[in-house]
Amino acid sequence: MKVKSFRILSGMRPTGPLHLGHLHGVLKNWLTFQEQHECFYFVADWHALTTEYESPQKIKEFVKELFLEWLSVGLSPEKSVLFLQSLVKEHAELSLIFSMITPVAWLERNPTYKDMIQNLQNKDLTTYGFLGYPVLQAADILIYKAEKVPVGLDQVPHLELTREIARRFNFLYGTEFFPEPEALLSEVPKIPGIDGRKMSKSYGNAIFLNDPPEVVRKKVLSYVTDVQRPRKSDPGDPEKRCVAYNLIKFYFSEEEKKEVIEGCKNTQLGCVECKKKLADKIIESLTEIWERRTKIEKEDWEEMLREGVKKARAIAKKTMEEVNALLGFTYKL
Ligand code: TRP
Ligand code: SF4
C-alpha cells in the first residue's frame, strides 16, 4: 500500500566530506524518502558562504564532492530533484522579501545563532548575512511550498522561524499562500567516532565515505574498546562499555552480535579480531558506494543535475510570480 506522499525538502551545506554519521543519520533517510515522496534535495552553497566567505574556492570543491557523494550513495536524479541553491536565483529574491517582514529580534534570539557565534570565535560571524541565515532557509523551503523538512534537532528553531515567517506573510498579504512546513525528526542513530564522541569532522574522529579501504581499516582498529578489558583474558561488557560495539551494532546481524557479546564476555574473542571483522563489514558495505562513485566520476556530474535544476527553477519561478502578484509588483516592462 502506498502511503500518502509529501513534498519533502532538505539541504546540506558543502563544508566538508561526508562520514558514516551523515550516511546513517541523514542519507539513509533521504534514500527511503525518495522511494515514496516527492523529494527536493539541494546543496546550500549560499548558506556555506555565511561562514566560509573567506574561501569560496573551497566551497566550490565541496559542492562537487557533495554531489558525487550523494550520487554514489544512491540519491538519484530520476527519483529526486537534486540541485544547487545558487543556480536558482529566486531563493535570493524570496529571501529579500522575507527579510522585510522578519523582525531582527526573531533572529537574534535564535539559539543556533547564539551557539555558533559562541563556538566559532575564530571567525567574524557578526555579519548581516549570518544573522539572516534562517531567512534564506525559510525561502529555500517555502519557495517549493514543502510540507516536510527532514533535519536534525539543531535545525528545529530554523523550522519554527520558517513557520513564523510563513504566517506573517500570509497575515500581511491576506492569503493562505504558504503552508507551514514541519520538521521531520527521524530517530538519528548516534554513530560514535573513534574516540567515543559523536562522529564529527571537527573532532578528527570520523570515517569518511571517501577514505580508501586501508584507511578505513586502520581507523576501525583504533576504535576505543572496553577500558576494563586491557587483556584478552579480562572479560568485557560490550553493551555497557565498548565504543567499537556501538558501531558493531549497525553492521552485524542479530546472530553475529550475540556471538560478539558471548565471545567478549567469555574471553574467547579478542578486540583486534573483533575489530577486524567490523572493518571487513564496513568496507564491504562501503564497496557498493565506492563502485558507484568510480562509475559516476566518468560521467559529467553537472549534466546529471541539469534536469533537477530545471525543475527547481520552474517551480521557484512560478512561486515568485505569485508572490510578486500578491505584492502588486507586476510591471510589464
Ligand atoms: N541549515 C541547514 C544545515 O545546516 C542546511 C539548510 C539550508 C537546509 N537550507 C535548508 C536544511 C532548507 C533544510 C531545508 O543543516
Ligand atoms: Fe569491544 Fe569487541 Fe573488544 Fe569486546 S571484543 S571489548 S566488543 S572490541
Side-chain angles (χ1 to χ4, degrees):
M1 193 182 72
K2 199 166 158 71
V3 294
K4 183 179 176 336
S5 173
F6 293 108
R7 181 171 284 185
I8 289 188
L9 173 137
S10 199
M12 257 188 218
R13 301 188 329 132
T15 51
L18 299 180
H19 51 65
L20 294 183
H22 298 113
L23 179 63
H24 295 284
V26 184
L27 292 166
K28 290 255 163 95
N29 283 326
W30 287 17
L31 287 173
T32 315
F33 298 143
Q34 81 171 356
E35 299 302 327
Q36 211 152 57
H37 300 282
E38 188 190 5
C39 295
F40 291 71
Y41 299 127
F42 71 99
V43 172
D45 54 345
W46 277 333
H47 274 113
L49 199 58
T50 62
T51 54
E52 311 303 315
Y53 55 82
E54 287 177 342
S55 33
Q57 193 52 41
K58 265 206 276 182
I59 298 179
K60 189 172 181 186
E61 283 162 30
F62 286 135
V63 165
K64 176 179 178 189
E65 180 59 25
L66 197 49
F67 276 123
L68 289 179
E69 285 179 336
W70 281 10
L71 296 165
S72 341
V73 300
L75 286 177
S76 151
E78 262 122 54
K79 295 178 181 169
S80 298
V81 180
L82 305 177
F83 66 100
L84 179 61
Q85 183 183 36
S86 67
L87 288 178
V88 187
K89 310 295 179 205
E90 284 82 359
H91 288 228
E93 188 180 357
L94 187 57
S95 175
L96 177 82
I97 290 177
F98 284 165
S99 76
M100 306 301 169
I101 66 170
T102 306
V104 172
W106 288 6
L107 301 171
E108 283 172 339
R109 66 168 186 239
N110 165 18
T112 310
Y113 175 72
K114 290 195 233 166
D115 277 6
M116 292 273 277
I117 293 266
Q118 276 289 318
N119 292 337
L120 297 176
Q121 296 222 355
N122 53 341
K123 270 186 196 158
D124 182 2
L125 291 183
T126 62
T127 60
Y128 172 52
F130 188 64
L131 180 66
Y133 185 113
V135 178
L136 179 58
Q137 185 162 348
D140 297 337
I141 298 168
L142 294 174
I143 206 157
Y144 303 102
K145 300 182 183 168
E147 300 163 271
K148 307 269 182 193
V149 184
V151 283
L153 260 185
D154 65 313
Q155 296 292 310
V156 169
H158 292 172
L159 258 291
E160 188 48 50
L161 259 165
T162 301
R163 281 200 297 278
E164 281 175 298
I165 291 172
R167 275 200 288 276
R168 191 156 162 94
F169 183 97
N170 291 345
F171 167 78
L172 285 167
Y173 307 115
T175 62
E176 295 208 354
F177 185 71
F178 287 119
E180 290 183 26
E182 277 173 32
L184 204 59
L185 284 170
S186 19
E187 260 174 80
V188 176
K190 283 220 171 47
I191 304 292
I194 293 167
D195 56 2
R197 291 187 291 174
K198 180 179 172 227
M199 189 176 282
S200 158
K201 181 184 60 152
S202 47
Y203 293 158
N205 65 359
I207 297 176
F208 296 103
L209 303 188
N210 63 8
D211 277 339
E214 356 28 293
V215 175
V216 174
R217 191 173 299 278
K218 211 172 120 216
K219 286 182 177 175
V220 173
L221 285 171
S222 53
Y223 258 79
V224 175
T225 56
D226 186 340
V227 286
Q228 293 181 36
R229 196 186 179 210
R231 281 171 306 260
K232 187 178 169 190
S233 53
D234 301 313
D237 191 347
E239 288 162 300
K240 287 219 182 78
R241 296 193 299 252
C242 176
V243 173
Y245 186 77
N246 281 325
L247 195 56
I248 286 175
K249 279 197 295 206
F250 294 98
Y251 287 93
F252 283 36
S253 68
E254 288 308 316
E255 200 158 312
E256 290 164 331
K257 279 189 265 187
K258 246 193 247 154
E259 273 172 35
V260 168
I261 294 174
E262 243 178 62
C264 183
K265 287 188 168 166
N266 71 19
T267 74
Q268 290 295 304
L269 178 67
C271 290
V272 174
E273 187 190 346
C274 181
K275 290 196 280 188
K276 272 189 180 154
K277 267 194 213 153
L278 173 60
D280 288 341
K281 291 266 189 195
I282 294 179
I283 290 169
E284 189 190 311
S285 81
L286 287 175
T287 299
E288 190 193 359
I289 296 176
W290 294 330
E291 285 173 357
R292 232 187 262 122
R293 171 134 186 175
T294 311
K295 270 195 222 136
I296 287 159
E297 276 177 353
K298 291 192 196 112
E299 295 176 38
D300 180 347
W301 66 276
E302 290 186 62
E303 190 55 40
M304 293 177 77
L305 299 175
R306 188 173 299 272
E307 280 308 302
V309 173
K310 223 160 109 186
K311 271 187 221 156
R313 274 184 185 148
I315 297 171
K317 180 163 176 270
K318 177 159 175 286
T319 304
M320 271 329 293
E321 279 167 9
E322 292 166 353
V323 165
N324 281 321
L326 282 171
L327 300 174
F329 285 12
T330 49
Y331 305 102
K332 296 186 183 56
L333 286 172

